[in-house]
């Protein structure tokens, strides 16, 4: 059981607690009290690695502004994104550490952008982001010392997730040494001159500290409506976000508990190679969502009497996806239906994990080319660095 708490923004309508009525949010008075942080990126196939970057960035200040690039900008510098810009904007808004997003942020981060949004500095991971012509996108803000760095999350990347989707086996979570898996990761994350340390694949290792960092530990309060939902929430995506937002809006003071099924259970009812992400990864993905208050890891498939009584559940919700029978053929929602607390919801977004996998499969060659192009630019920087006898930490300086 992981408690997540409510994560409404500290600012409502651009107003932060402690700012006097009528005082401009960009006034010098406010700047003295509030540190505004800027992050930007593609945020394509948003995963817990993106969320962890934003969590670290928010911890460096008080108010986090996130710029998200357009489809056209990403296509120009990297190749086609998996998700549309509208989908990516909504996904980033749903991350609980984000206070504000800027749609259509420029691909190259400049002092002009930081000043326009009244941000003290920008934060990026300890990898490198290059333009189409191989220049460091953060060169200007680094020169002016308005740049901070956070740790990249090991074990997850878009490259890795795409490889898992294409591998289509039930054991991909432990397939790091499998020749077929290596072939896929080579295709997606290896250029002709070797692996880049920023695009290559590494293995995710869950720790209790990471869960604590993502969870807030808030308990339900008197007057809260306790709502329970359950599922796989695999490859946490915009369809999940729209559903959880709909669930959140079912009450004035919602406390949303998400029950996550173990991997074996998910594979039982989903089949194929599901889940794409293991239960530890899925836990972090769901914990990062602002509509979620608590997560139950390894929730029972049947929503029974013990679970409902233990959490004092007022309402159980399910979307429009198919409800698979339990192992004994029974309805997993029989008890909440009997109590009259079951509600079927339509979020008006029918996107499923299957749909995402299909997008990847249909555009496989485009995504292979995109990742190889990205890594080729990174390897060029590394080779230049080696010729100058410098360390990888200094690689970004060479792209300026």
């Amino acid at each position: 059981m992981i408690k997540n708490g409510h994560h409404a923004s500290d600012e409502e309508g651009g107003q932060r607690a402690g700012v006097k009525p009528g005082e401009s949010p960009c006034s010098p008075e406010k700047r003295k009290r509030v540190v505004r942080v800027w992050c930007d990126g593609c945020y394509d196939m948003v995963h817990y690695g993106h969320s962890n970057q934003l969590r670290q960035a928010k911890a460096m200040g008080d108010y986090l502004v996130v710029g998200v690039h357009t489809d056209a900008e990403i296509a120009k510098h990297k190749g086609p994104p998996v998700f549309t810009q509208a989908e990516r904007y909504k996904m980033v808004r749903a991350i609980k550490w984000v206070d504000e997003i800027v749609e259509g942020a420029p691909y190259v981060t400049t002092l002009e952008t930081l000043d326009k949004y009244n941000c003290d500095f920008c934060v990026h991971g300890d990898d490198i982001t290059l333009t189409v012509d191989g220049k460091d996108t953060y060169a200007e803000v680094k020169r002016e010392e308005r740049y901070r760095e956070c740790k990249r999350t090991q074990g997850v990347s878009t490259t890795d997730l795409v490889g898992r989707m294409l591998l289509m086996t039930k054991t991909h979570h432990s397939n790091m040494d499998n020749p077929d898996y290596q072939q896929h990761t080579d295709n997606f994350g290896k250029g002709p001159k070797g692996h880049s340390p920023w695009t290559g694949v590494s293995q995710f290792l869950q720790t209790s500290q990471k869960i604590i960092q993502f969870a807030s530990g808030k308990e339900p309060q008197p007057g809260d409506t306790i709502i329970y939902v359950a599922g796989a929430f695999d490859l946490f995506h915009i369809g999940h976000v729209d559903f959880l937002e709909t669930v959140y809006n079912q009450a004035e003071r919602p406390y949303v508990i998400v029950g996550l099924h173990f991997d074996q259970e998910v594979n039982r009812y989903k089949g194929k190679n599901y889940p794409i992400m293991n239960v530890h990864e899925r836990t972090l993905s769901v914990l990062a969502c602002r509509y979620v208050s608590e997560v139950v890891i390894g929730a029972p498939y049947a929503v029974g009497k013990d679970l409902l009584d233990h959490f004092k559940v007022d309402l159980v919700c399910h979307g429009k996806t198919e409800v698979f029978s339990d192992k004994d053929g029974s309805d997993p929602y029989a008890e909440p239906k009997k109590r009259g607390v079951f509600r079927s919801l339509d979020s008006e977004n029918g996107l499923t994990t299957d749909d995402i996998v299909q997008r990847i499969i249909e555009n496989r060659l485009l995504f292979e080319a995109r990742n190889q192009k990205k890594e080729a630019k990174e390897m060029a920087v590394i080779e230049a660095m080696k010729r100058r006898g410098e360390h990888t930490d200094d690689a970004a300086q060479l792209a300026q």
Side-chain angles (χ1 to χ4, degrees):
M1 181 176 71
I2 300 297
K3 301 179 181 69
N4 201 33
H6 297 295
H7 291 277
S9 170
D10 289 331
E11 298 199 12
E12 297 293 340
Q15 191 78 11
R16 185 180 176 88
V19 178
K20 297 176 182 178
E23 182 181 301
S24 168
C26 296
S27 67
E29 290 79 10
K30 181 180 179 182
R31 284 295 301 276
K32 290 177 183 177
R33 291 191 298 275
V34 178
V35 175
R36 291 169 64 90
V37 180
W38 173 271
C39 284
D40 55 29
C42 304
Y43 300 102
D44 194 22
M45 285 188 66
V46 171
H47 49 67
Y48 59 90
H50 295 120
S51 300
N52 194 38
Q53 180 229 357
L54 298 175
R55 178 192 65 79
Q56 293 178 80
K58 179 65 177 281
M60 296 182 191
D62 304 300
Y63 189 81
L64 179 60
V65 182
V66 181
V68 184
H69 310 317
T70 63
D71 295 345
E73 279 282 271
I74 296 171
K76 174 184 175 183
H77 292 280
K78 290 179 66 174
V82 178
F83 288 93
T84 68
Q85 59 196 44
E87 291 172 325
R88 292 183 288 107
Y89 297 154
K90 195 162 191 176
M91 279 298 296
V92 175
R93 280 194 181 95
I95 296 173
K96 66 186 181 185
W97 296 287
V98 175
D99 295 298
E100 177 184 338
I101 84 154
V102 173
E103 299 181 0
Y107 200 82
V108 175
T109 308
T110 63
L111 295 176
E112 180 183 0
T113 298
L114 296 188
D115 291 340
K116 179 178 179 179
Y117 296 101
N118 199 29
C119 291
D120 297 85
F121 54 85
C122 74
V123 176
H124 187 66
D126 54 359
D127 54 346
I128 190 169
T129 303
L130 304 172
T131 62
V132 66
D133 54 356
K135 302 295 183 182
D136 181 2
T137 60
Y138 296 100
E140 181 177 322
V141 293
K142 286 178 180 178
R143 281 197 301 268
E144 299 300 320
E145 298 184 345
R146 289 176 68 179
Y147 176 86
R148 304 286 186 277
E149 207 163 78
C150 63
K151 286 291 182 183
R152 182 174 181 267
T153 305
Q154 292 298 312
V156 64
S157 66
T158 302
T159 302
D160 179 33
L161 295 177
V162 168
R164 295 188 205 179
M165 283 182 265
L166 290 172
L167 185 56
M168 299 303 280
T169 73
K170 293 184 180 180
T171 57
H172 53 260
H173 301 309
S174 58
N175 250 6
M176 301 298 289
D177 298 321
N178 182 297
D180 292 333
Y181 183 79
Q182 288 299 322
Q183 182 61 49
H184 284 296
T185 58
D186 284 353
N187 287 345
F188 276 81
K190 186 176 182 181
K193 295 185 179 180
H195 279 300
S196 160
W198 303 303
T199 302
V201 175
S202 59
Q203 189 153 16
F204 171 72
L205 298 174
Q206 180 69 290
T207 64
S208 59
Q209 183 61 32
K210 185 62 63 186
I211 293 177
I212 291 169
Q213 289 171 343
F214 270 57
S216 69
K218 292 186 178 180
E219 300 277 357
Q221 301 301 309
D224 285 354
T225 299
I226 300 176
I227 308 174
Y228 181 80
V229 300
F233 292 91
D234 194 17
L235 283 178
F236 194 76
H237 55 71
I238 190 63
H240 296 133
V241 167
D242 282 337
F243 169 67
L244 290 171
E245 183 180 15
T246 303
V247 170
Y248 188 86
N249 290 332
Q250 296 304 299
E252 187 175 336
R253 293 180 53 183
Y255 188 89
V256 179
I257 301 173
V258 175
L260 286 179
H261 301 142
F262 278 134
D263 299 342
Q264 296 91 332
E265 190 69 60
V266 174
N267 189 257
R268 179 188 68 82
Y269 63 81
K270 289 278 288 182
K272 298 180 183 176
N273 67 324
Y274 295 111
I276 301 293
M277 300 179 107
N278 67 43
V279 69
H280 304 300
E281 297 174 302
R282 293 184 284 120
T283 296
L284 296 184
S285 298
V286 175
L287 281 173
C289 180
R290 68 173 65 249
Y291 304 118
V292 175
S293 306
E294 185 171 326
V295 170
V296 180
I297 303 174
Y301 188 68
V303 184
K305 179 180 184 300
D306 290 346
L307 185 147
L308 296 176
D309 293 344
H310 178 80
F311 293 110
K312 298 180 174 60
V313 175
D314 299 302
L315 182 65
V316 176
C317 297
H318 186 79
K320 293 299 182 180
T321 56
E322 182 181 357
V323 177
F324 297 94
S325 298
D326 203 351
K327 294 175 183 176
D328 60 2
S330 63
D331 180 358
Y333 293 107
E335 182 65 22
K337 288 177 180 177
K338 178 183 174 183
R339 298 188 183 197
V341 297
F342 179 80
R343 189 176 297 175
S344 180
L345 301 178
D346 186 358
S347 66
E348 299 184 354
N349 185 338
L351 185 71
T352 66
T353 304
D354 279 325
D355 296 330
I356 296 171
V357 173
Q358 197 57 40
R359 287 188 191 186
I360 295 296
I361 292 173
E362 290 175 355
N363 294 281
R364 172 180 175 172
L365 295 179
L366 287 175
F367 295 130
E368 283 186 355
R370 182 185 78 174
N371 281 280
Q372 290 182 2
K373 176 182 175 183
K374 175 177 180 288
E375 185 156 27
K377 289 190 295 181
E378 293 170 353
M379 289 303 297
V381 172
I382 291 171
E383 290 301 316
M385 171 199 67
K386 287 179 179 178
R387 286 195 295 272
R388 292 174 54 170
E390 298 178 1
H391 296 293
T392 52
D393 291 342
D394 302 320
Q397 300 298 323
L398 300 175
Q400 294 183 18

